Amino acid sequence: MYNVLLVDDEPFIVDGLEVLIDWAKLNLTVVGKAYNGRDALDFMKFTHVDILITDVKMPKMQGLELISEAKILNPNCKCLILSGYNDFEYVKKGIKLGIENYLTKPVNTDELTATLEETVKSLDLATSKVIFTPDNSEWHILRGNILSRWVNDSITSEELRNRADMLQIITDSSCYSVAIINITLDSNVNSQVSKIYNICYNYIKSDGKIMSFEDMYGNFVLIFTHEQYDDRDSYILNILGRIYDNITSLNVKVHITLGPTVISYKELSKSYKTARKLFEYFLIYPNKKVISNDLIDDSKLKVENLISIDHNFIASSLVSKNKEELFDYIDKLFDEVINIPGITPEHLKMIVVKILLTLYKSMSSQFVLFQNEIINHQSNLLSTIHNIHDLKILKETLKDLFTYIIDKLNEKETSTSPVVYQVLKYIHKNYSKELSLKTLSFQFNINTTYLGQLFKKETGVSFPNYLNNYRIDRAKEYLLESNLKTAQIAKKVGYMDPNYFYRIFKKYTGVSPTDYKSLK
């Protein structure tokens, strides 16, 4: 939660704002209220405030003076002005102080909520590295806030037009398109930041029809305006291509996308959202300077049917701990898939997700000794896959998981007692045969009671539970991947009585074998 301080010499306004805005939904909490600037400043000396919302004209200390003093106490404090006066001089002074927005009374709650949402996003990303710092940065703070809300469709047409003249925002063009420039930062890039900015900004200054700002993700966003009869597309692509060449000449990695042209300023968010989505296509076109909508094949081809993953090979290679074999298979798989017509980034990510889900289903049997650790590791991977836009990183993510599992296998092999390790191997190889603690104790020349106790201590489950779990998992595979009848599958996994198999299967899965097979 971020802390908010409300300041106004009219108590009903302060109390009204506290009630009207859903602060918790915005990840905000009102930590204080003050009715003059002096009391507000005294409050801030002892309480951390992330967002200050203040009136302009108040007793004891005016709002602009309060903001100036508040910035000294906390340079990162975000400030919003409320005023009954739509005075341009106040706006200019506020801009110099770095305000987020200037709102006139009576306050429009939708406008205030939208401003607060953008402010929270900027606070969330306050620790991220800022690449672009334009000249006249105070003016750009307010302008960037408005442009960001524009491309995210979180500003009304009325508010946008009211801000347009003062902030040099073009709203009377017939066509718009959005380009996004993403710079990959590393330890060597920081010294090049000013050079990177200058490369981008020099092109903008030479063309009065381009607007720019830095979005919440740290990307440099260009808004191109043009008329319908202009041959603007080739011109835009030429500019973006030259920006790409100049930045890469600094040995800096850059990705650039260009959203489609829209025919009204009200539709700008569509171009921006598409430009953001296009970043995923660098998985397929890693060497393209600029990816635009024209490059994407909208073929409806069902390429899923052309993607074949050998899950059994992956599982057996993991069990045998053959890392090189696995890595070679993954490289060949992606090399084949990348050349399928109509392939999309979603298909490439789908491959990784399918492999993860298949491994997840086999955790209870193949890797029972450390299944929770691997499942947690997989869950973390699933949450990061969506944000990967580099094919090499996508493959490395999968290879890292294989390495993790093999390392865990090696670790458990050395920490597990030899007798339990041999029993597990024997079960995995002979699960279709008649097995019991008694037969295994005879096989390995060990006391039956002691073997049962040792097995449960090291695996965390009793021998019957482990055996049933393993057999049911194998039965699931047969049900989904073969045309065998249920009675045949029962015998294949070690149950001579089909009725007993039916009861055990339902006990461990919650559904009957027939119902499970219908999932095929």
Side-chain angles (χ1 to χ4, degrees), residues 122 124-130 185 214 216-218:
S122 66
D124 288 340
L125 293 159
T127 56
S128 65
K129 297 173 183 175
V130 178
L185 288 171
E214 184 183 353
M216 69 184 72
Y217 307 100

Side-chain angles (χ1 to χ4, degrees), residues 173-175 207 209 224-236 261:
S173 186
S174 58
C175 294
D207 187 328
K209 294 182 178 181
F224 293 92
T225 66
H226 48 104
E227 302 306 321
Q228 286 182 312
Y229 52 80
D230 286 349
D231 182 18
R232 188 79 162 158
D233 288 348
S234 58
Y235 170 76
I236 292 173
T261 297

Side-chain angles (χ1 to χ4, degrees), residues 415-427:
S415 62
T416 304
S417 63
V419 64
V420 171
Y421 181 70
Q422 290 302 319
V423 167
L424 289 171
K425 285 182 66 177
Y426 189 85
I427 292 171

Side-chain angles (χ1 to χ4, degrees), residues 284-375:
I284 301 172
Y285 307 106
N287 300 316
K288 283 287 182 183
K289 292 183 180 181
V290 181
I291 289 185
S292 65
N293 234 33
D294 297 337
L295 184 65
I296 307 309
D297 181 6
D298 291 328
S299 169
K300 302 300 181 183
L301 177 67
K302 293 289 184 182
V303 300
E304 293 93 336
N305 299 329
L306 303 177
I307 300 173
S308 176
I309 305 171
D310 193 339
H311 295 289
N312 290 330
F313 174 83
I314 292 172
S316 63
S317 296
L318 279 171
V319 172
S320 63
K321 295 175 284 189
N322 195 329
K323 190 187 300 185
E324 291 74 17
E325 190 175 66
L326 278 166
F327 286 7
D328 184 58
Y329 173 76
I330 292 302
D331 287 334
K332 288 179 179 176
L333 174 64
F334 278 96
D335 286 345
E336 290 175 6
V337 171
I338 203 74
N339 291 312
I340 296 176
I343 194 74
T344 68
E346 287 77 11
H347 291 125
L348 299 183
K349 293 178 183 180
M350 177 195 71
I351 293 173
V352 179
V353 171
K354 278 190 173 182
I355 292 173
L356 291 180
L357 292 177
T358 302
L359 288 175
Y360 179 88
K361 285 191 288 186
S362 67
M363 287 297 105
S364 61
S365 54
Q366 296 285 356
F367 311 113
V368 67
L369 295 179
F370 50 97
Q371 59 177 300
N372 289 334
E373 297 172 58
I374 293 182
I375 289 172

